[in-house]
Amino acid sequence: MSQSADLAHTILLLDDEPNVLSALRRALRKEPYALLCAHSADEAFDLLYTREVDVVVSDQDMPGMTGTEFLAKVYQEFPHITRFILTGKATLEVALQAINAGAISQFFTKPCNAEALALSIRTALDQKDLAVALERARQRELEIKDRFLSHISHELRSPLTAIYQFVTILLDGLSGELNPEQREHLNIVLRNINQLRSMVSDLLDCARTDTGKLTVHPQWLSLTPVITDILNTLQPSAAERDIALCTHLPRELPAVFVDPMRIRQVLTNLIDNGIKFTPAQGTITLGTRELDDAADFLCLTVTDTGDGIAPEDTERIFERLSQTTETIDVHRQGLGLGLYICRELISRHQGRIWVESQPGHGSTFCFTLPRLVID
Amino acid sequence: MAGEKILIVDDDKDQLIGLNVRLRANKYNVVVAHDAVMAVSVARKENPDLIILDIGLPAGDGFVVMERLRNLISLSHIPIIILTAREPTDNKERALSEGAYAFFQKPVDNHELLTAINNALSGVSA
């Protein structure tokens, strides 16, 4: 039934009466569209599943299924398709029902005015084209932003590398012995270099969540050595703030399907946050939890004895630039992108992340990772 | 273990000096090159045991250097560690698939780099 052509837009016409269909085709003959015709809802769905359709024009009174019902289904399955209805009896009631159920764009009474229908279709398609153009422009802008940030990150990393190299050369005594005061000062420099380094990474990761370039490359991995390594790395900064790092883990952790670099990033970020926001003599505990509703996932927990998070903030902290007003005043540190990136990374592993907290009693950050299940 | 010769290829002079100090302190012999052409000629002349290679280089890039070395039978076996300020997202997979032993983004932790060098020289697979 279709007039196939390589035209930009495709219109699907549905009516059980062949003469109405012919009239519609004649009405739209001069327009640059590919026209598809269907005599029943089933036939229309066959076409919708196989062809890219932009606009559907459906009759209201058909055997089997009304136009309203048909368009409501179209709306459910193909929400991007613009929907018009044609009816012989355009009562207000029918109109309202059609608009509510099928989110119809416009209503036409039979016999329909060919010019009005053509104009409405043209307007709807123009709107669509505009939306597509806007989306393309947005993508282009994101690409440019991404390239720009990649460039900046590269440029920032070069001097940072030289600074790191020479500070560690000095600290390791490779250019002479240091007195304790010099050592202490250089350790402060090193700590700040590491902060700067993670900020550069976070900034770029954050930009990449927009362009869909924040990717993960999962593989089966045993977490135990990763955890040991992270704890060893973070031990000095915890000790410096008089905070104990503990683990409460089962003897054997199941293998998980994760990107090793990214999971290290998430865990480091969560523990590092704990260290930042926990007062001296506090404890940060890395543990696991059994989840009844997610047997295919390993749930890891990072619990601190800090000030906790107010209930209204437990969702918000995972959003971009979200350090709450109070923490900005008290201990503003970092960019506030860490948890947002953690959430993005965990969701790319099909896991989820959340926080449980009682203000004054610390917080527990929980996240799930796909695990190996042995029956 | 000590005494092996390492070629560092980097166009950033400060980083070249820094890495040179670090590697010498760990008892390696160091030779350096600061562009893609020089990298290959120094490699031919010095026949190093390992190459630390930047990607962004004048006169070609790290990938070009890797390809040229691979095509020289006498040098094709030398393990190459990529050390770059560029993003792993865009480059790591490619570098490893084209034969690099390891990929690190700058600034890399000294211990991590030294471990990788040691492993590469002992023939531990990456």
Side-chain angles (χ1 to χ4, degrees), chain B residues 49-65:
Chain B
D49 298 292
L50 182 137
I51 299 172
I52 294 176
L53 181 62
D54 191 8
I55 293 182
L57 291 169
D61 66 15
F63 292 113
V64 172
V65 174

Side-chain angles (χ1 to χ4, degrees), chain B residues 93-104:
Chain B
E93 215 168 314
R94 179 174 172 203
L96 296 181
S97 74
E98 292 183 19
Y101 178 82
F103 179 103
F104 293 109

Side-chain angles (χ1 to χ4, degrees), chain A residues 153 157 168 172 197 204, chain B residues 15 22 87 105-107 110:
Chain A
S153 147
R157 280 175 188 283
T168 55
D172 292 345
R197 169 159 57 169
L204 194 74
Chain B
Q15 294 175 40
R22 176 63 58 184
E87 291 306 313
Q105 187 180 29
K106 294 173 181 177
N110 293 318

Side-chain angles (χ1 to χ4, degrees), chain B residues 28-105:
Chain B
Y28 293 111
N29 290 317
V30 177
V31 286
V32 300
H34 41 247
D35 66 45
V37 173
M38 192 181 169
V40 178
S41 67
V42 175
R44 295 177 78 151
K45 194 168 134 230
E46 298 283 346
N47 196 17
D49 298 292
L50 182 137
I51 299 172
I52 294 176
L53 181 62
D54 191 8
I55 293 182
L57 291 169
D61 66 15
F63 292 113
V64 172
V65 174
M66 274 186 21
E67 195 192 337
R68 287 193 197 144
L69 293 175
R70 247 201 336 268
N71 292 332
L72 295 169
I73 291 161
S74 59
L75 301 178
S76 61
H77 65 283
I78 303 175
I80 295 173
I81 292 176
I82 297 288
L83 185 57
T84 178
R86 294 198 187 174
E87 291 306 313
T89 330
D90 310 325
N91 299 288
K92 184 173 179 175
E93 215 168 314
R94 179 174 172 203
L96 296 181
S97 74
E98 292 183 19
Y101 178 82
F103 179 103
F104 293 109
Q105 187 180 29

